[in-house]
Amino acid sequence: MQQWIAEIAYDSTQGPKKAVETFFLPSEDDVRQEVSKKGGYVLTIRPHERSPLERILAKSTWWQVQLLRGIMFRASSVSSPGVALWKIIEAEQNPMRQNILAPAREALARGLGVIDALKAMDIFDHGTIAILAGSEKANKLTEGIPHAIHSITQKKKNSRAIMGTMGWLGFDVITIVQSLYWGQDMVLGWFRGNAPQDPAKLEEYNHVVNNLELTWNILIYFAFAIGAFLVWCIFSFFMNKGKRDWPTARIVRKIPLIGAYLRDLGFSDSMTAAARMLRGRVPIDEALTQAAQATNVPEISIYWDNANQDLERGVSLGTALDKPPLTRNERLELASLSDLGQVATILESIAEMRAASAKTKHSLIVWLAFALTGVFLVIAFGSAIYALTVMNMSMDSMMGGLMQGAL
């Protein structure tokens, strides 16, 4: 399904009139058929595209939480969450928010459910939609909304922690790079200005200075590359928020420790969603299908899909779930299943273990990043000190010469 903006001409007693209308339909041909039913003529059709400000607002945690809270509060006084969402759309006066809500309006107007309307807006991630869909199938959507809000805010905290760490490390690296970049000419200039006069020593001296220059250039270019990669990843993840997979995400998942961290978060989200759906009496096949949609890590989605296929072939639930990429301890828990009522409890236990593992990996990523920054510093300044040692010079003489040159 896609939202389309169509410029339409209508016949009237005063002559042709133009109008611009929105449609939420699968293709342009469907839009043309819908316009023909209204007695109009299509002039132009284009897909609806959000402005940059609209994309930023739509992807923000604040906007998502406010929308879900509005549905929950209004649903307590009306007959259904769908009606609550419709009332929110009708009451909205801000043009930017109206554009964000337009796909949901079109979906509801076509008779689709509230979950389809929320999907149409393309603002929630797959884990949030899975929690809401599972709650809706159990006829407990208003009870599931607080869990979805908790999931959104928890992911925001995780993202904030990662961004804070990366921001601090980025500032640290930028400071070091600036020191190297701006001090390179001064330091190397001083070295070359104090070269020995003895031809026998001059060759060795130039060799050491050239190696120092090469080392600093490598460090500077490497730091610039890492900085550009971090900026690209942050921008790409923000702009592609809600998508299942894209090139940047695949590259990031190949980084050993970070990939394992993302898998733990994905398993925690999907296991929690599956457990909540099972406690809400959602059929097991539907719960596994929604769990596969609760994460954007393909490896985890494939795990749930394979488990669902095994169930369709008559395999027991414990055996269907007992497969990689679960750890040995997690598989032992699932293999011990003897009662269907234990499934939700075991899935919640695995989700908690994965969340704890993700927290540990996050701390390890932070400390490892700090350690690598320290190594960068040691190489940068240690190489200069090593050059002074090889050339039988002192740091005091170097600093004194630099200060005199600066004055």
Side-chain angles (χ1 to χ4, degrees):
M1 301 291 279
Q2 168 74 44
Q3 186 181 5
W4 305 90
I5 307 297
E7 188 179 4
I8 306 170
Y10 290 104
D11 290 327
S12 67
T13 55
Q14 299 176 350
K17 289 187 176 180
K18 291 184 180 179
V20 177
E21 298 182 9
T22 61
F23 298 88
F24 187 69
L25 293 167
S27 65
E28 291 188 20
D29 292 336
D30 295 314
V31 176
R32 297 181 188 279
Q33 293 178 6
E34 191 69 22
V35 172
S36 298
K37 292 178 183 178
K38 294 183 177 182
Y41 304 91
V42 174
L43 300 178
T44 60
I45 301 176
R46 62 178 176 84
H48 171 73
E49 294 182 358
R50 290 173 178 159
S51 67
L53 287 178
E54 287 177 10
R55 287 198 294 269
I56 292 173
L57 176 61
K59 301 296 184 181
S60 68
T61 301
W62 176 84
W63 164 251
Q64 296 175 14
V65 170
Q66 292 300 316
L67 180 60
L68 291 179
R69 283 177 177 170
I71 295 173
M72 182 175 63
F73 293 149
R74 288 177 180 266
S76 61
S77 59
V78 297
S79 58
S80 70
V83 176
L85 178 57
W86 181 265
K87 288 184 177 293
I88 291 174
I89 296 172
E90 289 291 311
E92 185 57 63
Q93 299 297 323
N94 186 292
M96 186 181 297
R97 295 178 185 174
Q98 286 176 346
N99 288 337
I100 297 172
L101 293 168
R105 182 190 184 98
E106 294 292 332
L108 293 174
R110 289 178 55 81
L112 300 177
V114 63
I115 300 300
D116 292 319
L118 294 176
K119 287 181 180 179
M121 287 191 291
D122 191 26
I123 65 175
F124 297 103
D125 60 28
H126 298 285
T128 303
I129 290 294
I131 293 173
L132 295 172
S135 302
E136 193 258 351
K137 289 184 178 297
N139 295 321
K140 297 179 180 180
L141 181 57
T142 54
E143 297 178 16
I145 287 178
H147 297 293
I149 291 175
H150 175 74
S151 175
I152 292 172
T153 54
Q154 188 63 40
K155 289 177 182 178
K156 179 66 176 179
K157 290 180 181 178
N158 293 336
S159 300
R160 189 177 299 167
I162 294 174
M163 293 303 175
T165 302
M166 294 298 104
W168 173 256
L169 293 174
F171 173 79
D172 201 8
V173 171
I174 288 173
T175 303
I176 298 171
V177 170
Q178 282 184 332
S179 301
L180 291 175
Y181 186 79
W182 297 111
Q184 184 182 29
D185 292 338
M186 183 182 294
V187 173
L188 294 176
W190 183 87
F191 273 130
R192 291 194 169 97
N194 291 271
Q197 300 300 321
D198 186 355
K201 295 182 179 180
L202 180 61
E203 183 178 357
E204 181 183 0
Y205 186 92
N206 289 333
H207 179 71
V208 173
V209 173
N210 290 336
N211 285 341
L212 177 62
E213 182 179 14
L214 178 62
T215 301
W216 280 20
N217 283 334
I218 291 174
L219 291 175
I220 291 171
Y221 291 139
F222 178 75
F224 275 127
I226 293 296
F229 177 73
L230 288 175
V231 171
W232 173 50
C233 287
I234 293 172
F235 179 78
S236 179
F237 270 83
F238 185 81
M239 297 306 296
N240 292 284
K241 187 177 181 181
K243 293 184 179 180
R244 292 196 61 82
D245 199 19
W246 67 97
T248 308
R250 290 194 289 271
I251 293 173
V252 171
R253 285 197 301 268
K254 291 180 180 179
I255 302 174
L257 189 57
I258 295 178
Y261 169 72
L262 294 176
R263 282 193 295 273
D264 284 343
L265 286 181
F267 261 121
S268 178
D269 291 339
S270 60
M271 289 283 183
T272 300
R276 189 167 290 118
M277 283 184 280
L278 292 177
R279 291 194 183 279
R281 307 299 181 186
V282 175
I284 185 65
D285 58 338
E286 182 63 29
L288 296 184
T289 300
Q290 291 296 332
Q293 299 294 323
T295 177
N296 55 6
V297 180
E299 182 181 2
I300 301 176
S301 297
I302 292 173
Y303 164 81
W304 292 108
D305 290 335
N306 290 339
N308 202 4
Q309 293 173 6
D310 289 344
L311 280 178
E312 292 176 354
R313 292 196 297 266
V315 178
S316 66
L317 180 59
T319 304
L321 296 175
D322 179 16
K323 56 169 58 72
L326 293 181
T327 64
R328 183 174 180 275
N329 291 335
E330 292 167 348
R331 296 179 67 176
L332 287 175
E333 284 197 52
L334 290 169
S336 64
L337 271 176
S338 60
D339 183 5
L340 192 60
Q342 299 176 343
V343 179
T345 302
I346 292 178
L347 293 182
E348 287 175 346
S349 175
I350 294 175
E352 290 176 1
M353 288 190 294
R354 286 285 181 166
S357 177
K359 187 176 181 180
T360 302
K361 287 184 175 64
H362 174 258
S363 298
L364 186 58
I365 290 171
V366 172
W367 287 110
L368 184 59
F370 276 114
L372 291 176
T373 306
V375 171
F376 191 93
L377 261 175
V378 170
I379 295 174
F381 294 104
S383 58
I385 296 173
Y386 174 75
L388 289 173
T389 303
V390 171
M391 293 181 289
N392 295 320
M393 296 182 178
S394 67
M395 182 65 73
D396 291 338
S397 65
M398 176 183 174
M399 295 304 297
L402 290 175
M403 292 299 293
Q404 291 178 2
L407 294 174

